Amino acid sequence: MRKLTCALLCLLMILSTAFCLEGCKSREQQLSEETAYEDAQMNAMNKKVVKYINEKDKEGLKKLFSRSAQKDIEDLDGKIDELMNLCGDNKIIYVHSDTPGSSGSLTIQPLSITGEFLFKLSNGKKYVGWISFCDKDDENKENVGLKTIELCNGSKEELPEDFIWDGISSGNPGIFIHYIN
């Protein structure tokens, strides 16, 4: 009886260790999947924003914003015009996104994704900015969509040392454009 009990305890310890190790692996895989998902969503949102800016499609860009952001942003049409005019007749020819950050997860909603992006215009000028959007919110669908575009008419290297991204840091929806020259 004693040998049977010891054998069962050993078997239980081996199984519990295996399950614990599998749980750690699953968490690592889950984080990897979430990061890949966030990267894909950020790249997709950047492509849409760039497409509408390049095509001067104000309505298309406006529709990217969540319904709640559209209600909260004062003079959204005017801000979109200002954003479209920032590039002038130049097209955005290159976009790079740094690794986005998020609040929430694939299982905890709302899932909001924020990331820095860099783009280059056809005239060679480089701009830096931030995009923030809500990707998932099953309880409040009006929050899903673009929340903030914040852009500076210069590269990271041209930003003043004390520069603050006030739109992203405030959490307020909108289009925020900073002129450094």
Side-chain angles (χ1 to χ4, degrees):
M1 184 70 175
R2 199 178 255 187
K3 286 184 179 182
L4 180 62
T5 304
C6 284
L8 283 173
L9 282 174
C10 286
L11 181 61
L12 285 173
M13 286 177 30
I14 291 169
L15 288 174
S16 64
T17 302
F19 282 121
C20 287
L21 291 175
E22 183 62 31
C24 292
K25 184 178 176 186
S26 296
R27 180 68 180 147
E28 186 178 301
Q29 286 175 337
Q30 182 181 357
L31 289 173
S32 177
E33 288 171 7
E34 286 182 7
T35 300
Y37 178 83
E38 291 165 5
D39 286 342
Q41 295 307 104
M42 180 57 75
N43 288 333
M45 182 61 76
N46 280 341
K47 284 181 183 179
K48 290 175 192 173
V49 168
V50 167
K51 175 184 179 228
Y52 292 132
I53 291 173
N54 279 344
E55 294 175 357
K56 304 290 187 204
D57 184 350
K58 297 174 188 178
E59 284 305 309
L61 186 59
K62 188 175 185 176
K63 288 179 184 176
L64 288 180
F65 281 89
S66 69
R67 282 178 271 169
S68 62
Q70 288 181 32
K71 293 175 192 171
D72 292 342
I73 299 171
E74 190 174 316
D75 189 25
L76 179 57
D77 291 322
K79 296 286 187 181
I80 290 173
D81 286 338
E82 185 180 1
L83 179 61
M84 300 279 180
N85 292 332
L86 184 65
C87 296
D89 292 331
N90 297 294
K91 300 283 185 196
I92 300 169
I93 59 170
Y94 170 79
V95 178
H96 172 75
S97 297
D98 285 342
T99 304
S102 67
S103 62
S105 72
L106 297 177
T107 56
I108 300 171
Q109 294 183 18
L111 172 59
S112 295
I113 301 173
T114 301
E116 185 179 33
F117 67 96
L118 309 164
F119 66 77
K120 184 177 178 181
L121 298 178
S122 55
N123 67 356
K125 185 85 171 137
K126 295 178 183 176
Y127 290 177
V128 63
W130 288 85
I131 289 181
S132 178
F133 61 97
C134 179
D135 186 57
K136 293 182 181 190
D137 191 345
D138 290 340
E139 291 183 20
N140 193 350
K141 298 278 188 199
E142 286 202 354
N143 287 335
V144 175
L146 195 55
K147 182 177 177 185
T148 306
I149 298 175
E150 188 162 11
L151 186 63
C152 184
N153 72 332
S155 66
K156 276 183 167 181
E157 296 76 28
E158 294 174 290
L159 293 176
E161 283 185 34
D162 59 346
F163 185 80
I164 297 173
W165 295 99
D166 54 330
I168 291 293
S169 61
S170 73
N172 294 327
I175 297 175
F176 303 90
I177 299 175
H178 305 280
Y179 299 94
I180 58 172
N181 316 24

